[in-house]
């Protein structure tokens, strides 16, 4: 099913999403990759303030290429999500409601998605140039020293993604394998 959703996410919207839904996200999302996740994680464990409120927000696992002249951002394709698996459960406990990336997640992340009423979206890998057209504004808000891995606040319009794991634990990657192996 195709759904237009707004970010940040309400719990009602998260609960309405089902594995396999095609969504178009409009609103504010944040970027963070490996190095930024480690800093966020370490700061939370130390009781330090982090650069943005995770509550109801979506983190896109993205390290964009430099923007060309006249463009808001460069190529903006997802990175492999499993590299953030160590950090994701703690971020969900802090209020994170959505993650966008590509690839499978480990059992700890899958359990945390259910326990914290979250959702995992996949964006199409290799389509970064097309996805960047959905990004209307991009602003580095933290960890500028990380370069492409700095945390960015993005304003997106109709950003396409697929619900891979819904808050009930349904997992499109597992369901699709079962369905097509019959």
């Amino acid at each position: 099913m195709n759904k237009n959703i707004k970010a940040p996410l309400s719990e009602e919207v998260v609960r309405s999403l089902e594995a396999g839904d095609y969504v178009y996200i409009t609103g504010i999302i944040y970027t963070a990759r490996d190095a930024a996740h480690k800093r966020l994680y370490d700061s939370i464990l130390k009781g330090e303030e982090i650069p943005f409120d995770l509550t109801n927000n979506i983190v896109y696992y993205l390290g964009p290429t430099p923007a060309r002249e006249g463009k808001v951002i460069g190529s903006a394709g997802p990175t492999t999500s499993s590299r953030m698996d160590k950090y994701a459960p703690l971020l969900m406990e802090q209020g994170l409601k959505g993650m966008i990336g590509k690839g499978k997640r480990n059992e700890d992340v899958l359990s945390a998605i259910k326990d914290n009423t979250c959702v995992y979206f996949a964006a199409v890998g290799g389509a970064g140039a097309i996805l960047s057209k959905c990004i209307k504004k991009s602003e580095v808000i933290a960890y500028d020293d990380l370069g492409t891995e700095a945390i960015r606040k993005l304003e997106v319009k109709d950003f396409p993604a697929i619900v891979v794991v819904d808050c009930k634990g349904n997992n499109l990657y597992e369901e699709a394998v079962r369905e097509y192996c019959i």
Side-chain angles (χ1 to χ4, degrees):
M1 176 182 282
N2 291 341
K3 295 182 177 180
N4 292 301
I5 62 174
K6 302 279 186 205
L9 299 171
S10 69
E11 189 154 327
E12 179 183 359
V13 167
V14 172
R15 289 185 185 282
S16 76
L17 298 173
E18 297 180 11
D21 285 348
Y22 288 86
V23 298
Y24 298 92
I25 304 165
T26 297
I28 301 298
I29 64 175
Y30 295 87
T31 70
R33 281 185 48 153
D34 316 40
H37 269 76
K38 180 169 180 6
R39 285 193 188 173
L40 290 170
Y41 182 86
D42 290 345
S43 292
I44 292 167
L45 290 180
K46 292 176 186 174
E48 298 171 352
E49 190 171 325
I50 60 174
F52 69 101
D53 185 1
L54 292 167
T55 306
N56 298 329
N57 278 306
I58 297 172
V59 169
Y60 183 18
Y61 303 148
L62 165 68
T65 63
R68 290 184 168 171
E69 188 174 332
K71 300 292 181 184
V72 172
I73 199 166
S75 183
T79 196
T80 304
S81 301
S82 61
R83 294 200 314 265
M84 274 51 77
D85 283 358
K86 174 181 178 181
Y87 313 111
L90 181 62
L91 272 56
M92 286 184 264
E93 289 173 15
Q94 301 298 309
L96 184 69
K97 286 293 179 196
M99 299 158 285
I100 304 171
K102 66 180 181 182
K104 293 182 178 182
R105 308 309 297 268
N106 72 24
E107 287 302 319
D108 290 339
V109 173
L110 297 175
S111 292
I113 288 170
K114 288 184 353 185
D115 293 345
N116 295 285
T117 314
C118 297
V119 63
Y120 171 52
F121 303 101
V124 178
I130 294 168
L131 293 172
S132 70
K133 293 178 181 182
C134 300
I135 299 169
K136 304 306 175 188
K137 290 183 184 175
S138 173
E139 170 191 6
V140 173
I141 62 163
Y143 312 147
D144 191 38
D145 61 302
L146 296 178
T148 191
E149 291 200 35
I151 294 179
R152 288 172 170 74
K153 178 180 178 180
L154 304 180
E155 182 181 319
V156 297
K157 183 167 178 10
D158 296 328
F159 185 92
I162 300 165
V163 176
V164 175
V165 181
D166 64 33
C167 69
K168 296 169 271 316
N170 299 310
N171 186 330
L172 182 63
Y173 292 146
E174 292 173 2
E175 292 170 13
V177 168
R178 282 194 297 271
E179 183 177 326
Y180 291 105
C181 289
I182 294 177

